[in-house]
Amino acid sequence: MSKPTSHQPIILPRDQHPISRKQIDEETLKVLYRLHRNGQLAYLVGGSVRDLLLGRKPKDFDIGTDATPAQVRRLFRNCFLVGKRFRLAHIRFAGNKLIEVATFRRHPREDELPEDHDEHFHFVQNVFGSPREDAFRRDFTINALFYNIADFSIVDHVGGLQDLREKKLRVIGDPLIRFSEDPVRMLRALEFAARLDFSLDETILAAIEAKKTLIATAAPARIREEIMELYRHKVAGPVLKQCRELGMLPHLLAGYPGTDESIALISKIDQRTASGVPIEEGFAIAALYLRLFMDSCPPSPDLHITEVLHKANEIIFPHCRYFSIAHGIRHQARELLVGCFRLARGRGTRGERRFLQHPLTPKSLELFKLWSEVRPELLPLVKEWQKAIQTSPAEKQETRRRPRRRRRKPSTRLPTH
Ligand code: ATP
Ligand code: MG
């Protein structure tokens, strides 16, 4: 098949691809049809087309159209526009379900960009364009395929169909330029290759080598979200390992270079997520820093817990400040680290009963158990603690006494009224 280098896309008619309307969410279809009936272009775009072609279940269905956000709002009663800078139409359905409709956009010309460089990222996303221009502003060829509701065809402006067949992740345009424009794309490249088991085009790795330090200039909130995506997609271990090997990790994580063992632990967490346990951010942060924390607090009966708390705080604080992690999540990460310290110290120390009844102790033990898979010498401790936790509630009941009622003294206070 020829590459779509001319100004014509490759169009794959319905009988030459496997996507059936049965696989598309019902409400998404309604929105696509209504746009189409009103004379607008209406495409399924982005990750959903990629996933359907790969026989995977899409996470969500995004719609692209040539209708402006205001036109979309006029067509749908249940529609509201969101985003001050990035105008999107959200169409709401029963059960709080949202369908996102975005107007096709294009890359602005150099002379159209605002003078303030910080404004570029948002501005770049906001200039309306043609479907072809919209395909070219996307990150990877496999993420730029369209499904056209008018004739149920696939529209490929960028060569994504061929790359899908060859299981190749390819950046649209020159990776050096596209990574400089938006450094988060480097992380996304590693993420998609790992998630889909695709090979990375060599130019991508070379461009990451060249541009890795730029990741530190990306908005921390976006990095934080992409890192959590890695965990949710069960590829945090391999991707962070690659970031470490490429020397990108310290630029990604506010100066923290990571350790081989923490990355091995994160791979264990990926397996746990794959078995159906949802990932929590506090757990993810604790895992990232567990090895460093354990080195700074070797298990000793003499170390006072306030000192241990202090160390845990010190270690995760730069991360939490950089990524503006909420207090509750930071607290959980810290408690998990302190819990692992207590578990590593072994049984029979002060405060053990209270520790066994602490609501976060089972989770600390879960983390510690995964850690013991990296450090097998800890396995016997895990067994001991598992037994202790299992028997702990029974002990609690046996020893719990009814609080004695104090006999009220006759009140000496004067009535207030
Ligand atoms: P997922 O299954 O993770 O949702 P996705 O491909 O839908 O995968 P999103 O992050 O939801 O990924 O983004 C939707 C689409 O927006 C992408 O498929 C891609 O076309 C485009 N996109 C997202 N982030 C970028 C970016 N940083 N630069 C260019 N295009 C992007
Ligand atoms: Mg998506």
Side-chain angles (χ1 to χ4, degrees):
M1 189 187 293
S2 64
K3 277 213 157 120
T5 43
S6 63
H7 284 278
Q8 291 308 314
I10 290 173
I11 295 185
L12 216 54
R14 172 64 192 96
D15 58 359
Q16 286 176 37
H17 70 76
I19 300 182
S20 133
R21 273 164 292 162
K22 285 199 203 81
Q23 295 164 289
I24 303 171
D25 159 84
E26 208 180 306
E27 269 95 17
T28 304
L29 274 177
K30 278 188 202 160
V31 176
L32 286 168
Y33 278 132
R34 183 173 298 186
L35 286 165
H36 173 60
R37 273 202 311 274
N38 283 276
Q40 305 292 347
L41 288 175
Y43 292 173
L44 208 56
V45 298
S48 56
V49 185
R50 173 198 72 218
D51 287 345
L52 288 172
L53 285 170
L54 287 170
R56 292 167 174 251
K57 196 173 172 346
K59 197 172 67 182
D60 41 38
F61 293 91
D62 294 331
I63 292 176
T65 180
D66 58 351
T68 63
Q71 285 174 314
V72 177
R73 188 169 51 185
R74 260 178 261 131
L75 285 177
F76 296 90
R77 245 187 322 139
N78 47 343
C79 170
F80 53 100
L81 302 186
V82 293
K84 256 199 201 124
R85 306 216 255 186
F86 185 48
R87 296 293 268 176
L88 273 178
H90 276 178
I91 303 178
R92 202 201 294 259
F93 288 90
N96 254 346
K97 183 171 174 179
L98 282 180
I99 309 269
E100 204 168 274
V101 181
T103 307
F104 298 130
R105 287 171 164 76
R106 70 172 165 85
H107 210 288
R109 289 186 313 272
E110 203 50 46
D111 60 318
E112 289 175 321
L113 287 169
E115 271 175 27
D116 182 353
H117 196 268
D118 290 348
E119 297 284 314
H120 282 198
F121 180 75
H122 294 285
F123 187 82
V124 159
Q125 300 191 47
N126 271 316
V127 186
F128 298 146
S130 67
R132 183 173 179 81
E133 288 167 327
D134 189 83
F136 275 92
R137 76 168 175 105
R138 291 172 185 271
D139 45 7
F140 308 110
T141 58
I142 58 164
N143 283 353
L145 294 165
F146 299 144
Y147 170 88
N148 185 357
I149 200 67
D151 57 5
F152 318 123
S153 65
I154 305 286
V155 184
D156 176 11
H157 289 276
V158 293
L161 284 168
Q162 186 174 341
D163 290 334
L164 263 190
R165 262 192 301 272
E166 291 174 9
K167 300 184 85 182
K168 217 179 218 162
L169 195 78
R170 196 192 299 275
V171 171
I172 298 172
D174 179 351
L176 285 169
I177 296 173
R178 302 304 310 279
F179 291 167
S180 305
E181 264 169 25
D182 176 13
V184 176
R185 290 177 187 144
M186 294 189 271
L187 190 57
R188 286 173 62 85
L190 301 176
E191 176 195 330
F192 282 112
R195 268 172 64 181
L196 305 172
D197 196 20
F198 273 33
S199 64
L200 283 168
D201 179 41
E202 306 88 66
T203 56
I204 293 186
L205 283 177
I208 294 181
E209 286 277 9
K211 299 288 174 187
K212 62 190 172 201
T213 57
L214 289 183
I215 196 82
T217 64
R222 292 185 65 215
I223 304 276
R224 177 183 172 192
E225 185 44 37
E226 290 294 340
I227 291 178
M228 285 316 292
E229 278 293 286
L230 300 179
Y231 277 100
R232 285 183 214 114
H233 288 286
K234 302 148 260 186
V235 292
V239 172
L240 294 178
K241 182 165 188 262
Q242 236 178 335
C243 289
R244 186 165 146 74
E245 287 162 0
L246 288 162
M248 186 161 74
L249 206 57
H251 307 291
L252 189 70
L253 295 177
Y256 176 53
T259 68
D260 289 344
E261 277 173 312
S262 52
I263 284 170
L265 172 62
I266 290 168
S267 287
K268 302 286 174 195
I269 295 184
D270 288 335
Q271 288 168 17
R272 170 180 175 266
T273 315
S275 76
V277 187
I279 180 70
E280 287 170 303
E281 196 170 8
F283 201 84
I285 297 172
L288 203 49
Y289 292 94
L290 184 62
R291 156 76 204 278
L292 190 66
F293 167 74
M294 285 301 201
D295 283 353
S296 73
C297 286
S300 139
D302 306 326
L303 204 54
H304 200 278
I305 284 298
T306 45
E307 234 173 291
V308 179
L309 267 172
H310 183 69
K311 275 275 176 230
N313 258 337
E314 230 174 42
I315 284 176
I316 57 171
F317 190 70
H319 181 105
C320 294
R321 191 181 41 193
Y322 183 74
F323 290 107
S324 308
I325 305 286
H327 177 77
I329 297 171
R330 190 177 76 204
H331 175 79
Q332 190 192 37
R334 189 191 70 184
E335 291 300 308
L336 290 172
L337 289 178
V338 176
C340 283
F341 168 82
R342 284 182 180 273
L343 294 166
R345 192 162 67 163
R347 295 206 53 191
T349 56
R350 259 184 85 208
E352 178 173 304
R353 260 201 30 213
R354 237 185 327 144
F355 172 61
L356 283 172
Q357 287 160 15
H358 193 281
L360 274 177
T361 298
K363 209 158 267 174
S364 298
L365 185 54
E366 257 186 81
L367 183 61
F368 192 67
K369 183 168 173 289
L370 296 172
W371 180 232
S372 76
E373 291 172 24
V374 179
R375 289 270 182 99
E377 71 273 17
L378 298 173
L379 219 61
L381 271 178
V382 173
K383 299 230 165 80
E384 269 182 48
W385 283 110
Q386 278 172 333
K387 236 190 319 183
I389 284 192
Q390 275 159 14
T391 52
S392 147
E395 263 172 36
K396 203 166 97 189
Q397 265 173 18
E398 272 164 33
T399 53
R400 196 197 285 157
R401 283 207 222 114
R402 279 186 110 189
R404 254 202 298 166
R405 275 226 181 134
R406 282 242 215 103
R407 200 175 285 163
R408 269 237 210 111
K409 277 189 193 161
S411 174
T412 50
R413 268 206 240 148
L414 290 171
T416 50
H417 54 273

